Amino acid sequence: DGGITQSPKYLFRKEGQNVTLSCEQNLNHDAMYWYRQDPGQGLRLIYYSQIVNDFQKGDIAEGYSVSREKKESFPLTVTSAQKNPTAFYLCASSSPFLGQRRDLYTGELFFGEGSRLTVL
Amino acid sequence: KNEVEQSPQNLTAQEGEFITINCSYSVGISALHWLQQHPGGGIVSLFMLSSGKKKHGRLIATINIQEKHSSLHITASHPRDSAVYICAVREYGNKLVFGAGTILRVKS
């Protein structure tokens, strides 16, 4: 079955350590996204990528890094520079909208199960 | 001011009630998504709209592009509908912006 797989589901990190969260999709989607969710708040965009080897910063990119070497994979590294890394991280993917070409329009959005990172 | 505003923030209903959750946005969009997040954190997509109305089972979603407003309706609500419902808009350029979510609790 097609879908998005995030790992690990739970992760504990000591201060000063970098950690990498994995996100893999087999939906053949071009666009992939990383979001952070804090208690009582909406999802905030960290990074997104619309195509392999290209990605853009979202609203809260500081202290994070990503890569998009393969279409299926979009790993997120939480670096030691991220001041408040404890949060729930969600990865998503979708086929992009293709302007007026409604016959090619998809845009359905799929999410992984999330990764909960706790800094000790 | 957030680009996407949802109301209400919290909603408690009795089983069987008709529920409406609203979403207003301020930017030009190519589509709007309604999502459901369960306590474990996983999110599923309920609807994707660019115009008009969609129905799936007891769920109905509408959008008015001119008024920049969408509603999610749940008919004959049930305790298993208890979840966080999130509105997200897709801006031109494929960026997604999310509302803060509406926490729904349906009592039996």
Side-chain angles (χ1 to χ4, degrees):
Chain A
D1 285 335
I4 298 182
T5 302
Q6 284 187 243
S7 63
K9 195 171 177 67
Y10 299 95
L11 184 61
F12 297 90
R13 186 193 93 174
K14 292 181 181 178
E15 282 192 23
Q17 286 182 334
N18 292 353
V19 293
T20 297
L21 307 180
S22 169
C23 178
E24 303 276 334
Q25 54 97 0
N26 60 3
L27 299 162
N28 200 33
H29 284 168
D30 291 304
M32 296 187 74
Y33 309 81
W34 272 107
Y35 296 94
R36 169 182 172 137
Q37 188 177 39
D38 294 284
Q41 294 190 36
L43 278 70
R44 291 184 290 167
L45 180 64
I46 304 173
Y47 270 97
Y48 67 111
S49 167
Q50 299 192 61
I51 198 168
V52 174
N53 292 322
D54 184 57
F55 48 81
Q56 290 80 41
K57 291 182 179 180
D59 301 314
I60 54 165
E62 185 175 350
Y64 299 98
S65 66
V66 292
S67 62
R68 188 83 189 276
E69 297 176 1
K70 298 186 297 182
K71 188 175 187 177
E72 308 79 40
S73 179
F74 191 40
L76 173 74
T77 297
V78 185
T79 75
S80 56
Q82 168 49 235
K83 293 176 182 169
N84 296 299
T86 294
F88 185 60
Y89 292 89
L90 280 156
C91 178
S93 75
S94 75
S95 291
F97 287 79
L98 294 173
Q100 299 304 310
R101 289 293 306 275
R102 291 298 181 98
D103 57 321
L104 298 177
Y105 168 102
T106 53
E108 193 63 50
L109 195 59
F110 292 83
F111 284 85
E113 289 296 308
S115 295
R116 193 168 298 279
L117 172 63
T118 303
V119 174
L120 303 173
Chain B
K1 187 182 188 299
N2 292 334
E3 293 178 1
V4 181
E5 296 279 353
Q6 281 186 241
S7 63
Q9 289 183 310
N10 290 278
L11 181 56
T12 300
Q14 284 297 129
E15 183 173 358
E17 284 185 1
F18 181 83
I19 289 166
T20 296
I21 299 171
N22 296 299
C23 176
S24 297
Y25 54 92
S26 57
V27 296
I29 67 168
S30 53
L32 182 144
H33 297 262
W34 280 103
L35 310 167
Q36 182 189 55
Q37 185 173 31
H38 280 281
I43 294 178
V44 295
S45 177
L46 299 174
F47 293 104
M48 180 178 58
L49 295 163
S50 56
S51 64
K53 176 180 174 178
K54 286 190 176 180
K55 184 176 189 293
H56 181 70
R58 294 180 295 106
L59 302 178
I60 303 166
T62 64
I63 188 168
N64 185 320
I65 296 292
Q66 286 73 30
E67 295 186 3
K68 292 188 165 69
H69 182 268
S70 175
S71 293
L72 176 69
H73 306 286
I74 304 175
T75 61
S77 59
H78 190 275
R80 65 174 175 266
D81 296 326
S82 298
V84 179
Y85 291 84
I86 301 170
C87 170
V89 299
R90 187 188 293 266
E91 297 180 349
Y92 297 109
N94 229 19
K95 180 183 174 183
L96 290 163
V97 180
F98 290 77
T102 294
I103 302 171
L104 172 64
R105 182 182 171 210
V106 181
K107 296 182 186 177
S108 56

